[in-house]
Amino acid sequence: EAAVTQSPRNKVTVTGGNVTLSCRQTNSHNYMYWYRQDTGHGLRLIHYSYGAGNLQIGDVPDGYKATRTTQEDFFLLLELASPSQTSLYFCASSDLRGGSDYTFGSGTRLLVI
Amino acid sequence: GDSVTQTEGQVTVSESKSLIINCTYSATSIGYPNLFWYVRYPGEGLQLLLKVITAGQKGSSRGFEATYNKEATSFHLQKASVQESDSAVYYCALSDASSGSWQLIFGSGTQLTVMP
């Protein structure tokens, strides 16, 4: 079954710490996305990619890097984590942008203390 | 820019009662955006509940309905009789070709709790 798998499910780190969130999709989709979800806000796009080696900036990119190493794998990097990055992070994949075929992972809850 | 507004952060309804979750949108495109409802059950990722791409049309799935109202710029989600299993977070969303990117824009979500 096609899926998007995120790891870890939960992560706690200290301010200034280095965190990598992982996402793997088995949908053979071209696009992959990283979103953050905070109370009172909709999902906000951090970065996205349309293929291995490609990276596009989203709406809230500050403090985040991302890398798409293969068509399947998309990583989100927080090199100097801050408490403001405490959030629920979702990865998604799609074949087309803005279509109805987005597949989401189950999320990574990050706490920066 | 484009935006989606869900005014209720939390809604509690008794089982078998009716439900409406409000959604209004603002889109800069001269055309019509595509409108979506996504649902996130506990511990799972978001999944598409329904989609409507034509103004005036209604989408339906799992007993839920939403009508694309261009004049009111609304896309409210309704269900005549909710079940406890409907407890989840519901997100209204749109995608708009105005920027050429068709980015998916989400509302802030509505947590639905159905009481037995």
Side-chain angles (χ1 to χ4, degrees):
Chain A
E1 180 178 312
V4 174
T5 304
Q6 293 182 233
S7 62
R9 291 295 299 269
N10 296 281
K11 176 74 177 178
V12 180
T13 191
V14 296
T15 299
N18 195 320
V19 177
T20 298
L21 307 186
S22 302
C23 178
R24 167 164 284 197
Q25 57 109 352
T26 59
N27 305 321
S28 299
H29 283 163
N30 294 320
Y31 287 90
M32 294 186 74
Y33 312 84
W34 278 106
Y35 290 91
R36 61 178 289 173
Q37 158 84 83
D38 303 292
T39 302
H41 292 276
L43 276 73
R44 293 182 289 177
L45 183 64
I46 304 170
H47 290 298
Y48 67 99
S49 164
Y50 57 73
N54 175 264
L55 181 65
Q56 302 294 318
I57 293 172
D59 296 326
V60 289
D62 292 347
Y64 301 96
K65 292 184 179 179
T67 179
R68 181 90 176 267
T69 54
T70 64
Q71 184 173 21
E72 293 79 21
D73 297 303
F74 195 31
F75 300 93
L76 185 68
L77 296 82
L78 292 71
E79 295 184 330
L80 287 171
S82 73
S84 65
Q85 295 176 307
T86 292
S87 188
L88 178 59
Y89 292 86
F90 288 104
C91 177
S93 73
S94 73
D95 200 29
L96 300 172
R97 289 216 67 204
S100 56
D101 68 338
Y102 279 59
T103 303
F104 284 83
S106 54
T108 294
R109 195 169 291 278
L110 175 66
L111 173 63
V112 183
I113 58 176
Chain B
D2 297 347
S3 65
V4 176
T5 300
Q6 293 178 243
T7 53
E8 304 104 346
Q10 296 191 47
V11 172
T12 300
V13 181
S14 298
E15 198 166 29
S16 80
K17 298 298 184 183
S18 64
L19 168 73
I20 181 164
I21 298 177
N22 294 311
C23 172
T24 57
Y25 67 89
S26 172
T28 57
S29 172
I30 60 174
Y32 305 132
N34 294 344
L35 299 178
F36 308 83
W37 278 100
Y38 280 82
V39 58
R40 180 164 65 92
Y41 297 103
E44 299 182 15
L46 282 78
Q47 54 187 272
L48 181 67
L49 180 60
L50 55 86
K51 168 188 177 182
V52 179
I53 65 171
T54 304
Q57 291 200 348
K58 178 189 294 185
S60 61
S61 174
R62 308 180 208 177
F64 289 90
E65 296 181 336
T67 299
Y68 188 153
N69 186 327
K70 178 176 71 70
E71 289 74 25
T73 61
S74 68
F75 192 53
H76 305 321
L77 183 68
Q78 300 183 72
K79 189 172 187 182
S81 176
V82 296
Q83 303 171 353
E84 204 171 341
S85 58
D86 293 327
S87 295
V89 183
Y90 293 82
Y91 298 91
C92 186
L94 70 79
S95 68
D96 185 357
S98 63
S99 65
S101 67
W102 284 97
Q103 183 173 317
L104 201 58
I105 307 294
F106 288 89
S108 55
T110 299
Q111 170 73 60
L112 171 65
T113 301
V114 179
M115 305 296 291

Coordinates of all heavy atoms in Angstrom, one line a residue, chain A residues 4 6 15 25 41 44 46 50 53-54 56 64 67 71-74 79 84 88 95 97 100 103-104 108:
Chain A
V4 N 3.2 7.3 3.2 CA 4.2 8.2 3.6 C 4.5 7.9 5.1 O 3.6 7.9 5.9 CB 3.7 9.7 3.5 CG1 4.7 10.6 4.1 CG2 3.4 10.0 2.0
Q6 N 6.8 8.8 8.4 CA 7.6 9.8 9.1 C 8.3 9.2 10.3 O 7.7 8.4 11.0 CB 6.8 11.0 9.5 CG 6.2 11.8 8.4 CD 5.5 13.0 8.9 OE1 4.3 13.2 8.6 NE2 6.1 13.8 9.8
T15 N 17.2 23.6 23.2 CA 17.4 24.8 22.4 C 18.9 24.8 21.9 O 19.8 24.6 22.7 CB 17.2 26.1 23.3 OG1 15.8 26.1 23.7 CG2 17.5 27.3 22.5
Q25 N 8.4 8.1 1.1 CA 7.1 7.8 0.5 C 7.3 6.7 -0.5 O 8.4 6.6 -1.2 CB 6.6 9.1 -0.3 CG 7.5 9.7 -1.3 CD 7.1 9.5 -2.7 OE1 6.2 8.8 -3.1 NE2 7.8 10.2 -3.6
H41 N -3.5 27.9 13.7 CA -3.0 28.0 12.3 C -3.3 26.8 11.5 O -3.3 25.7 12.0 CB -1.4 28.2 12.3 CG -1.0 29.5 12.9 ND1 -1.0 30.7 12.2 CD2 -0.6 29.8 14.2 CE1 -0.5 31.7 13.0 NE2 -0.3 31.2 14.2
R44 N 1.1 25.0 7.5 CA 1.9 26.0 6.8 C 3.1 25.3 6.2 O 3.8 24.5 6.8 CB 2.4 27.1 7.8 CG 1.2 27.9 8.3 CD 1.7 29.0 9.2 NE 2.2 28.5 10.5 CZ 2.7 29.3 11.5 NH1 2.9 30.6 11.3 NH2 3.1 28.7 12.6
I46 N 6.6 24.6 4.8 CA 8.0 25.0 5.1 C 8.9 24.9 3.9 O 9.5 25.9 3.4 CB 8.6 24.1 6.2 CG1 7.7 24.1 7.4 CG2 10.0 24.5 6.6 CD1 8.0 23.1 8.5
Y50 N 10.3 18.9 -6.0 CA 9.6 18.1 -7.1 C 10.5 17.1 -7.7 O 10.3 16.6 -8.8 CB 9.1 19.1 -8.1 CG 10.0 20.0 -8.8 CD1 11.0 19.6 -9.7 CD2 9.9 21.4 -8.5 CE1 11.8 20.5 -10.3 CE2 10.8 22.3 -9.1 CZ 11.8 21.8 -10.0 OH 12.6 22.7 -10.6
G53 N 17.2 16.0 -5.4 CA 18.1 17.1 -5.6 C 17.5 18.5 -5.7 O 18.2 19.5 -5.7
N54 N 16.1 18.5 -5.8 CA 15.4 19.8 -5.9 C 14.9 20.3 -4.6 O 14.5 19.4 -3.8 CB 14.3 19.7 -6.9 CG 13.5 20.9 -7.0 OD1 12.4 21.1 -6.3 ND2 14.0 21.9 -7.8
Q56 N 12.5 23.7 -3.0 CA 11.8 24.9 -3.1 C 11.4 25.5 -1.8 O 11.0 24.7 -0.9 CB 10.5 24.7 -4.0 CG 10.8 24.1 -5.4 CD 11.5 25.0 -6.3 OE1 11.3 26.2 -6.3 NE2 12.5 24.5 -7.0
Y64 N 14.9 26.5 8.9 CA 14.7 25.1 8.4 C 15.6 24.9 7.2 O 15.6 25.8 6.3 CB 13.3 24.7 8.1 CG 12.3 24.8 9.3 CD1 11.6 26.0 9.4 CD2 12.2 23.8 10.1 CE1 10.7 26.1 10.5 CE2 11.3 23.9 11.2 CZ 10.5 25.0 11.4 OH 9.6 25.1 12.4
T67 N 16.4 18.5 2.5 CA 17.1 17.9 1.4 C 16.3 16.7 0.9 O 15.8 15.9 1.7 CB 18.5 17.5 1.9 OG1 19.2 16.8 0.9 CG2 18.5 16.6 3.1
Q71 N 14.0 10.1 -4.8 CA 12.6 10.4 -5.0 C 11.7 10.0 -3.8 O 10.7 10.6 -3.5 CB 12.0 9.6 -6.2 CG 10.6 10.0 -6.5 CD 10.0 9.4 -7.8 OE1 10.5 8.4 -8.3 NE2 9.0 10.0 -8.3
E72 N 12.2 9.0 -3.0 CA 11.5 8.5 -1.9 C 11.7 9.3 -0.6 O 10.8 9.3 0.3 CB 11.8 7.0 -1.6 CG 11.4 6.1 -2.7 CD 12.3 6.1 -3.9 OE1 13.5 6.5 -3.8 OE2 11.9 5.7 -5.0
D73 N 12.9 9.9 -0.4 CA 13.3 10.4 0.9 C 13.4 11.9 0.9 O 14.1 12.5 0.1 CB 14.6 9.8 1.3 CG 14.5 8.3 1.5 OD1 13.6 7.9 2.3 OD2 15.2 7.5 0.8
F74 N 12.8 12.5 1.9 CA 12.8 14.0 2.1 C 13.1 14.3 3.6 O 12.3 13.7 4.4 CB 11.5 14.6 1.6 CG 11.5 16.1 1.4 CD1 12.6 16.8 1.0 CD2 10.3 16.8 1.6 CE1 12.6 18.1 0.7 CE2 10.3 18.1 1.3 CZ 11.4 18.8 0.9
E79 N 19.0 23.0 12.4 CA 20.4 23.0 12.9 C 20.6 23.7 14.2 O 21.5 23.3 14.9 CB 21.3 23.6 11.8 CG 21.3 22.7 10.5 CD 22.2 23.2 9.4 OE1 22.5 24.4 9.4 OE2 22.7 22.4 8.6
S84 N 10.4 28.2 19.4 CA 9.4 28.5 18.5 C 9.2 27.5 17.4 O 8.2 27.5 16.7 CB 9.7 29.9 17.8 OG 10.9 29.7 17.0
L88 N 3.9 20.4 15.5 CA 3.5 19.1 14.9 C 3.9 19.2 13.4 O 3.4 20.1 12.7 CB 2.1 18.8 15.0 CG 1.5 17.5 14.4 CD1 2.3 16.3 15.0 CD2 0.0 17.4 14.7
D95 N 1.5 13.7 -6.7 CA 2.0 13.6 -8.1 C 1.9 15.0 -8.8 O 2.7 15.3 -9.6 CB 1.2 12.6 -8.9 CG 1.9 12.1 -10.1 OD1 3.2 12.1 -10.1 OD2 1.3 11.7 -11.1
R97 N 0.8 19.3 -8.1 CA 0.6 20.3 -7.0 C -0.8 20.7 -7.0 O -1.4 20.9 -8.0 CB 1.5 21.5 -7.3 CG 3.0 21.2 -7.1 CD 3.7 22.4 -6.5 NE 3.2 22.7 -5.2 CZ 3.3 23.9 -4.6 NH1 3.8 24.9 -5.3 NH2 3.0 24.1 -3.4
S100 N -5.8 16.5 -5.6 CA -6.4 15.8 -4.5 C -5.7 14.5 -4.2 O -6.2 13.7 -3.4 CB -7.9 15.5 -4.9 OG -7.9 14.7 -6.1
T103 N -0.9 12.6 -0.1 CA -0.8 11.6 0.9 C 0.0 12.1 2.0 O 1.2 12.5 1.8 CB -0.2 10.3 0.4 OG1 -1.0 9.8 -0.8 CG2 -0.3 9.2 1.4
F104 N -0.5 12.1 3.2 CA 0.2 12.6 4.4 C 0.7 11.5 5.3 O 0.1 10.5 5.4 CB -0.8 13.5 5.2 CG -1.1 14.9 4.6 CD1 -2.0 15.0 3.6 CD2 -0.3 16.0 5.0 CE1 -2.3 16.2 3.1 CE2 -0.6 17.2 4.4 CZ -1.6 17.4 3.5
T108 N 5.1 14.2 13.1 CA 6.2 14.1 14.1 C 6.0 15.3 15.0 O 5.9 16.4 14.6 CB 7.6 14.3 13.4 OG1 7.9 13.1 12.6 CG2 8.7 14.4 14.5

